Amino acid sequence: MITLAQVIERFEPDYRARYGHTLGPERAQALRAMLCCRSRMAPQLLAACPECAEQRLVPHSCGHRLCPHCQHHEGEQWLERQRRLQVPAEYFLLTFTLPAELRALAARHAKCVYGALFSAAWSTVQTFCRNDRQLKGEAGAVAVLHTHSRRLDLHPHVHLVMPGASLDARSRRWRTKSGYLFSHTALAKVFRAKLLAALAQAGLHPAEPLPGKWVVDCKRVGNGEKALVYLGRYLYRGVIREADLLACDHDGSGQVSFRYRDSQSGESKVRTLPGAEFLHLLLQHVLPKGFRRARNYGFLHPNKKGLIALLHLVLRIVPRPPTPHKPRPAFACPCCGKPMRILRRRLPPMAVSRADSMHAMETAV
């Protein structure tokens, strides 16, 4: 199987020559991290087997959000937290898409535009929920930012998984709505106005004429379980699976081919492009440092866990039992198969000799 590290190693010089002007600190860090992830160039940890005294140096994973190898454990933890916040109501998946005319602006001012996208989407939903005849209260939602299409092009959009329910703080009432939530046409009009106002307040003005109609989708997703799993799958797994990398510089062509599923037909297709351009497509999805891709709003905010517990009690709903904490899987000894014990972490790459390893193990024992 072709690895992402192989693609980076082969085409990084070409990428820097062609797109070096776009290589900021975050993208440079992403390149280094994915290139060294679990390789001989990564920091090492020293593991020893208590049964047969075998010891090994194991390279660390990089933990970068764009790396397809890393953060599977974190993704499972995030999904478990969201499951504990589920409430007895029908759920809906709302998608707010940034128009193509604003994508160049998002590429230059990612932190500001993506932040405005989050705030405009939540403000729109909150306004509709408060004005709705059946709900008349505060909404709650789980929001996740996606920046890519299946072809890896820049396509920023925010998904909101929200129950058709509201909490009225004044009357202390819990209201629900099912079957139909809001008009997607009306949502799009309000979202357009709120996003443009947020961008103008930040001093950002689109250079291109904007379309009159924007895209907002709203559909039913049952109890929300499948929608949360879908968001969690793309939240911590990068933007492409290594299993979808089909060719890298085959016969010296300088091309990279990858497989994707067409969003319209559902068919599996192959896209082939120069290696430098592939890395450029990949790295444009690196988020600004410290930017949170997943956020909870309203009564689903983490600081309102007590409220969710009270709702379960009042409505006589038995909440989902918490899944037992799953520790990270231990390293199996290559000699006897027993779990190995970690003695030291973050050792410099290839800086520990066999004698140093033996001394460290004897000292720890």
Side-chain angles (χ1 to χ4, degrees):
M1 184 178 67
I2 300 171
T3 66
L4 199 54
Q6 289 176 318
V7 178
I8 295 174
E9 184 178 11
R10 168 63 183 85
F11 293 109
E12 183 178 1
D14 296 342
Y15 168 76
R16 289 181 177 272
R18 185 174 176 182
Y19 297 103
H21 61 284
T22 67
L23 189 62
E26 290 90 356
R27 294 186 180 184
Q29 181 186 9
L31 269 180
R32 290 193 301 270
M34 291 186 290
L35 177 63
C36 299
C37 184
R38 306 187 188 189
S39 72
R40 295 168 61 90
M41 297 180 288
Q44 312 282 310
L45 61 84
L46 178 62
C49 178
E51 296 292 331
C52 65
E54 175 69 17
Q55 80 287 183
R56 290 294 174 94
L57 287 173
V58 182
H60 277 283
S61 58
C62 66
H64 197 276
R65 292 186 288 186
L66 199 63
C67 180
H69 294 156
C70 300
Q71 299 206 356
H72 173 75
H73 184 72
E74 287 76 6
E76 292 295 328
Q77 289 180 321
W78 178 86
L79 183 58
E80 177 60 26
R81 289 195 299 269
Q82 306 313 315
R83 284 170 171 164
R84 293 177 188 173
L85 296 176
Q86 285 182 281
V87 295
E90 184 176 25
Y91 275 71
F92 296 83
L93 177 64
L94 294 87
T95 305
F96 295 81
T97 303
L98 194 72
E101 291 79 2
L102 288 176
R103 292 172 192 170
L105 188 68
R108 296 192 301 269
H109 306 280
K111 189 171 186 177
C112 183
V113 174
Y114 293 159
L117 183 59
F118 266 117
S119 62
W122 166 242
S123 179
T124 299
V125 168
Q126 193 178 38
T127 299
F128 273 72
C129 190
R130 288 175 176 173
N131 295 336
D132 189 81
R133 292 182 179 180
Q134 289 182 247
L135 296 178
K136 298 180 182 178
E138 182 183 18
V142 180
V144 175
L145 170 69
H146 287 172
T147 61
H148 64 284
S149 67
R150 296 182 181 182
R151 287 169 49 88
L152 295 190
D153 295 315
L154 187 64
H155 186 264
H157 54 283
V158 167
H159 293 295
L160 271 72
V161 177
M162 62 172 292
S166 69
L167 181 67
D168 190 337
R170 293 184 178 180
S171 62
R172 298 182 180 181
R173 294 190 62 182
W174 172 255
R175 301 186 179 98
T176 60
K177 184 178 182 180
S178 61
Y180 174 83
L181 190 60
F182 307 128
S183 165
H184 64 88
T185 304
L187 284 168
K189 290 181 179 179
V190 176
F191 169 64
R192 182 183 190 276
K194 288 183 177 293
L195 181 59
L196 292 180
L199 294 178
Q201 186 177 6
L204 299 179
H205 303 281
E208 301 182 31
L210 297 177
K213 293 184 179 181
W214 288 24
V215 178
V216 175
D217 184 59
C218 180
K219 61 182 180 181
R220 302 161 60 184
V221 289
N223 64 359
E225 175 74 17
K226 292 183 178 180
L228 290 172
V229 172
Y230 166 76
L231 295 186
R233 184 183 305 130
Y234 291 97
L235 180 59
Y236 289 100
R237 300 284 184 90
V239 298
I240 187 172
R241 301 183 310 158
E242 288 187 331
D244 291 328
L245 291 173
L246 304 180
C248 174
D249 196 25
H250 182 65
D251 295 331
S253 62
Q255 306 277 321
V256 173
S257 298
F258 65 92
R259 177 177 50 231
Y260 70 95
R261 186 173 297 278
D262 186 81
S263 58
Q264 299 297 327
S265 64
E267 298 178 353
S268 181
K269 295 185 177 181
V270 175
R271 184 177 184 182
T272 300
L273 66 169
E277 186 176 342
F278 171 79
L279 290 182
H280 177 64
L281 286 180
L282 182 72
L283 292 175
Q284 68 181 342
H285 305 298
V286 175
L287 294 179
K289 185 177 181 179
F291 190 87
R292 292 184 295 117
R293 174 175 285 177
R295 308 182 184 191
N296 288 50
Y297 292 102
F299 62 77
L300 293 181
H301 194 276
N303 63 8
K304 297 186 179 180
K305 292 180 180 178
L307 178 60
I308 300 298
L310 179 61
L311 284 174
H312 288 162
L313 178 64
V314 172
L315 300 175
R316 297 180 180 180
I317 299 296
V318 179
R320 176 194 298 270
T323 303
H325 176 68
K326 296 181 181 180
R328 294 181 184 274
F331 296 106
C333 177
C335 297
C336 65
K338 299 292 184 179
M340 301 185 78
R341 185 174 58 181
I342 298 177
L343 303 181
R344 295 180 62 186
R345 300 177 186 268
R346 310 301 300 181
L347 299 170
M350 306 305 296
V352 181
S353 65
R354 182 79 173 179
D356 293 334
S357 302
M358 289 293 294
H359 176 72
M361 186 181 70
E362 293 170 358
T363 303
V365 173

